[in-house]
Amino acid sequence: MAEAKAPQIPDTMQAIGMDGPGEPDVLGIEETATPRPGADDVVIKVAYAGVNRPDCLQRAGAYPPPPGASPILGLEVAGEVVAIGSDVPEQMMGARVAALTPGGGYAQYCAAPWQHCLPVPDDMDLKTAAALPETLFTVWHNVFERGCARDGERLLVHGGTSGIGTMATMLAKAFDMEVIVTCGDEAKCEAAREVGADLAINYREDDFVEAVKAHTDGKGVDIVLDMVSGDYVARNLQCLAEDGRHVTIAVLGGAKAELFMPMVMMKRLTLTGSTLRPRSDAFKAALADEIAINAWPLFTGGELAPVMDETFPLAEAAAAHARMEAGDHIGKIVLEVAP
């Protein structure tokens, strides 16, 4: 491990630990060792950390961290770089950054590969910045890279008011796409329309397959961004136009799906999907470079901003998880660490 090129940072810090897998109440503040940077790492003094669905899954014991990653929850942070590894450019020291992290975000200090950091200008709020990396990296890779999104195409997103859903809607509209989302009630549908959705379907009242067909005059959508899986997959395929792409990023509705394969052949459909966290540092660095060129300026320039839900103090991470799992949130939930 490389020695930090920085003034001494504390040996210990406060972080969110857990007694073991379980409900949100297993989370609590604990004292733990402050991370030190590897050769390609920075250590960030965390101002805010984003809360994401994978954090809840990890807490429940269903999404273990990859080998070598911090066991502390938290996949995105924003703050100031206070230590750098031996192979990190000197100009990173003291920089304000937002970072995609392999873990460790629910803490006063967090280590992350320097190439997974995005610069935060002085006029951008760190809370806003912390709400971006996980959903931005996920949506850019899955909609624009794996899904091959193009101007003028139609996108269907399930969970339209989630962090992923709102990010997908904003980015797709920024690139002149038409966006259809599903939501669980009319209030969320209205919120999704305010974000930019062209059509918001209350899936508890309407069959989204029929609604999509009616809205598109039977043509269907070009891409489905699916976080549900299970029995939604067969219905999603009915929504797809010819040469459509089905991209799965979560399996909240079940890990198995039954498909009518002749439809896949006749429509020439592509079924794909990905998980971001286990991907290599090199892959994430390349993804960060592409985002820095194509998408990050939309946020740093003020054209787009994440939809924010509630902010909780770090010590109330359990309450933040409870809110996410209740499903009432609209947009991003973040933890305030040291603003």
Side-chain angles (χ1 to χ4, degrees), residues 17-29:
M18 47 194 239
D19 300 330
E23 298 298 317
D25 60 7
V26 302
L27 300 177
I29 285 283

Side-chain angles (χ1 to χ4, degrees), residues 64-267:
S70 171
I72 297 171
L73 302 177
L75 302 176
E76 60 184 349
V77 300
E80 179 186 348
V81 174
V82 293
I84 61 175
S86 58
D87 295 340
V88 177
E90 293 283 353
Q91 59 266 33
M92 289 295 294
M93 188 64 195
R96 285 162 42 99
V97 299
L100 184 74
T101 75
Y106 291 15
Q108 291 178 310
Y109 296 89
C110 179
W114 75 271
Q115 291 175 307
H116 301 178
C117 297
L118 295 164
V120 177
D122 290 341
D123 59 354
M124 186 178 191
D125 181 70
L126 286 171
K127 179 163 67 172
T128 297
L132 290 169
E134 173 68 11
T135 55
L136 180 53
F137 277 64
T138 298
V139 168
W140 187 265
H141 176 55
N142 287 285
V143 174
F144 292 89
E145 293 184 341
R146 303 196 73 80
C148 303
R150 294 182 288 271
D151 291 4
E153 290 194 323
R154 291 189 177 109
L155 170 68
L156 170 62
V157 182
H158 294 299
T161 54
S162 66
I164 291 285
T166 53
M167 175 62 73
T169 298
M170 289 189 295
L171 278 181
K173 294 306 296 181
F175 289 93
D176 297 320
M177 297 179 69
E178 184 176 334
V179 179
I180 301 171
V181 303
T182 63
C183 303
D185 58 48
E186 182 52 38
K188 287 189 174 183
C189 285
E190 181 56 34
R193 296 183 196 106
E194 291 177 4
V195 174
D198 297 282
L199 175 67
I201 304 164
N202 183 342
Y203 65 81
R204 289 195 171 96
E205 295 184 354
D206 299 306
D207 181 339
F208 72 80
V209 176
E210 294 305 317
V212 167
K213 289 180 178 179
H215 182 76
T216 63
D217 295 325
K219 295 177 182 178
V221 299
D222 302 287
I223 306 168
V224 175
L225 183 63
D226 177 44
M227 295 174 269
V228 183
S229 196
D231 61 7
Y232 262 48
V233 178
R235 298 171 70 193
N236 289 339
L237 299 193
Q238 295 179 55
C239 295
L240 281 171
E242 292 185 351
D243 298 303
R245 289 85 71 193
H246 185 280
V247 188
T248 298
I249 60 170
V251 291
L252 299 176
K256 296 182 179 180
E258 185 172 323
L259 305 180
F260 184 63
M261 293 309 294
M263 179 186 296
V264 176
M265 295 186 292
M266 289 184 291
K267 286 188 176 182

